[in-house]
Amino acid sequence: MSAWLEEVAWNEEGLVPAIAQEVHTGQVLMLAWMNREALETTLQSGHAVYWSRSRQRLWHKGEQSGHEQVVKAIHLDCDHDAVLLLVEQKGDIACHTGRHRCFFKRLEKGNWTSVEPVLKHPNSIYGKSG
């Protein structure tokens, strides 16, 4: 086991939250989860790999959509319980909704309002219908 992995404060499920931030703009693109294997694979491959809690398997960002994240740097926060990935987002879409980033809703006057456009409809990204 790599010593640097032992410095991460993994939660009870063996996961750590991972924030993807666009390296050139500083925009926060998304929040996902990583286990040890995902973090180690990310370091080795240079591409973001997360742990899918819904599918219970490794999720190589962009494996279906082609919207990969090339990792430029990996940071650990001061409490060792969150990871920050500085990434170059391929295809300009990080969110499964077809938006540039997952944080597209803003609280305005007590309501969540979508403030960023859909760049590409999810059906055309993932081939789903309905």
Side-chain angles (χ1 to χ4, degrees), residues 16-105:
V16 66
I19 300 162
Q21 181 179 21
E22 202 165 35
V23 69
H24 299 298
T25 67
Q27 280 193 323
V28 173
L29 299 174
M30 57 181 275
L31 170 74
W33 294 88
M34 293 180 135
N35 63 8
R36 284 174 169 80
E37 186 180 1
L39 186 52
E40 196 162 34
T41 302
T42 294
L43 177 66
Q44 292 170 353
S45 70
H47 290 85
V49 177
Y50 301 106
W51 176 255
S52 172
R53 294 179 300 162
S54 60
R55 292 176 254 162
Q56 291 292 296
R57 67 171 181 82
L58 289 181
W59 159 41
H60 296 252
K61 177 67 176 152
E63 65 189 7
Q64 290 181 322
S65 66
H67 302 141
E68 296 180 324
Q69 293 175 339
V70 178
V71 177
K72 300 299 185 179
I74 303 172
H75 295 262
L76 186 63
D77 82 334
C78 58
D79 294 323
H80 296 208
D81 62 359
V83 172
L84 173 68
L85 304 180
L86 297 181
V87 302
E88 179 184 321
Q89 180 63 54
K90 297 297 184 180
D92 207 34
I93 297 173
C95 186
H96 74 279
T97 66
R99 291 175 173 86
H100 178 62
R101 58 193 192 128
C102 295
F103 295 95
F104 60 88
K105 291 187 177 185

Side-chain angles (χ1 to χ4, degrees), residues 1-8:
M1 184 70 53
S2 300
W4 62 272
L5 283 171
E6 296 307 313
E7 293 186 45
V8 177

